[in-house]
Amino acid sequence: MPFVPFNPVENVQRTRRTLPHWFQEGRTYFVTFRLTDSMPREKREQIEAQRDAWMHAKGLRSLDEIEKLQDEDRKEYHRIFTAKIHELLDASYGSCVLCEPENAQIVSNALLFFDGQRCEMLSFVVMPNHVHVLTCPIEPHTLSELLHSWKRHTSREINKHMGASGTLWLDENFDHIVRTQEQLEHFRNYIRDNPKKARLPEGTFIHYDKESGTGL
């Protein structure tokens, strides 16, 4: 499936919960979803306070306006605040149940189960307390549908394996429509390098990349 970048003049479906979410048919997404205990509340609130101050200085009233910023301001936002969130995740707070190879394999199998049918799975990494995915849904399937399926199945199977119960994944995700070929390669490299950046030993993560044939 050839890469199709985000087109700002085409129709965009927008939804909003805590974070804004933009969707456009036939596009590729960089997605992060994480365990419920993956980020200490006080550290998250500190980042949110700094983000709100930055937005106020830029004259922004809501997170929905971030994607409408000029390229330089949007890049600055992600360089500062999205990067801080990812650094917190890489610190491996919480239970980190995905360190266990059997649990990580459950997630990996789920991500690849519909590859070529409901999505094209370009790359992913299963980290101790979060997952990064680079994927393109295949119409009529949507990113929301895929995420719901992955999280529901893996939550059930991991809880069964661990003899546990309750909510495993945080309900909301971070998702970003890939805008350029350069950005596509940036996200692919980020996924590849994430375990090394977080200083994870072998056996505590799973990396997959379709183009390079690495992983699994």
Side-chain angles (χ1 to χ4, degrees), residues 121-151:
M121 182 57 64
L122 303 177
S123 183
F124 66 77
V125 63
V126 183
M127 300 286 283
N129 62 7
H130 66 284
V131 179
H132 295 303
V133 175
L134 192 60
T135 189
C136 180
I138 298 173
E139 296 179 51
H141 304 287
T142 66
L143 182 63
S144 297
E145 173 192 327
L146 289 166
L147 283 163
H148 178 73
S149 175
W150 292 334
K151 291 165 106 175

Side-chain angles (χ1 to χ4, degrees), residues 2-15 20-30 64-71 74 78 122 134-137 143 175-184 187:
F3 169 66
V4 181
F6 172 72
N7 188 335
V9 302
E10 287 189 16
N11 181 56
V12 177
Q13 179 188 352
R14 297 176 176 86
T15 63
H21 304 277
W22 287 27
F23 305 103
Q24 195 171 72
E25 289 185 359
R27 268 52 180 191
T28 300
Y29 300 86
F30 173 67
D64 299 274
E65 299 179 72
I66 296 296
E67 291 301 322
K68 299 177 184 178
L69 289 170
Q70 295 297 315
D71 282 353
R74 191 177 64 252
H78 289 299
L122 303 177
L134 192 60
T135 189
C136 180
L143 182 63
D175 47 73
H176 179 82
I177 303 178
V178 181
R179 292 173 175 267
T180 64
Q181 183 70 43
E182 180 183 20
Q183 196 175 65
L184 181 74
F187 286 132

Side-chain angles (χ1 to χ4, degrees), residues 5-210:
F6 172 72
N7 188 335
V9 302
E10 287 189 16
N11 181 56
V12 177
Q13 179 188 352
R14 297 176 176 86
T15 63
R16 172 138 171 82
R17 302 175 70 183
T18 303
L19 299 172
H21 304 277
W22 287 27
F23 305 103
Q24 195 171 72
E25 289 185 359
R27 268 52 180 191
T28 300
Y29 300 86
F30 173 67
V31 187
T32 301
F33 54 103
R34 60 188 180 90
L35 301 180
T36 56
D37 62 355
S38 58
M39 192 175 299
R41 179 178 176 180
E42 64 277 9
K43 292 184 179 294
R44 176 178 54 80
E45 290 178 346
Q46 182 180 29
I47 292 174
E48 290 173 350
Q50 294 170 348
R51 180 198 64 197
D52 292 345
W54 183 91
M55 290 174 58
H56 179 74
K58 296 287 184 181
L60 304 180
R61 293 170 295 179
S62 73
L63 288 171
D64 299 274
E65 299 179 72
I66 296 296
E67 291 301 322
K68 299 177 184 178
L69 289 170
Q70 295 297 315
D71 282 353
E72 197 56 42
D73 283 338
R74 191 177 64 252
K75 287 178 181 178
E76 179 183 342
Y77 171 84
H78 289 299
R79 185 170 61 247
I80 297 173
F81 300 108
T82 304
K84 284 185 177 180
I85 293 294
H86 288 166
E87 286 172 9
L88 272 180
L89 292 176
D90 289 343
S92 297
Y93 287 103
S95 58
C96 292
V97 299
L98 304 181
C99 272
E100 188 173 334
E102 290 85 354
N103 292 336
Q105 194 63 55
I106 288 170
V107 176
S108 176
N109 292 345
L111 294 175
L112 288 171
F113 189 77
F114 292 120
D115 184 30
Q117 302 173 48
R118 300 185 184 181
C119 68
E120 181 180 7
M121 182 57 64
L122 303 177
S123 183
F124 66 77
V125 63
V126 183
M127 300 286 283
N129 62 7
H130 66 284
V131 179
H132 295 303
V133 175
L134 192 60
T135 189
C136 180
I138 298 173
E139 296 179 51
H141 304 287
T142 66
L143 182 63
S144 297
E145 173 192 327
L146 289 166
L147 283 163
H148 178 73
S149 175
W150 292 334
K151 291 165 106 175
R152 179 183 59 186
H153 173 77
T154 57
S155 181
R156 181 178 64 245
E157 294 303 310
I158 290 174
N159 276 337
K160 184 189 301 182
H161 171 70
M162 298 178 64
S165 61
T167 304
L168 184 69
W169 301 104
L170 190 71
D171 192 32
E172 193 163 20
N173 324 284
F174 169 83
D175 47 73
H176 179 82
I177 303 178
V178 181
R179 292 173 175 267
T180 64
Q181 183 70 43
E182 180 183 20
Q183 196 175 65
L184 181 74
E185 293 309 312
H186 166 77
F187 286 132
R188 189 189 296 273
N189 292 338
Y190 182 89
I191 287 172
R192 179 199 65 204
D193 296 337
N194 197 194
K196 182 178 179 180
K197 180 182 176 184
R199 299 179 180 179
L200 296 182
E202 289 294 332
T204 60
F205 65 89
I206 293 179
H207 170 241
Y208 167 82
D209 188 88
K210 179 175 289 185

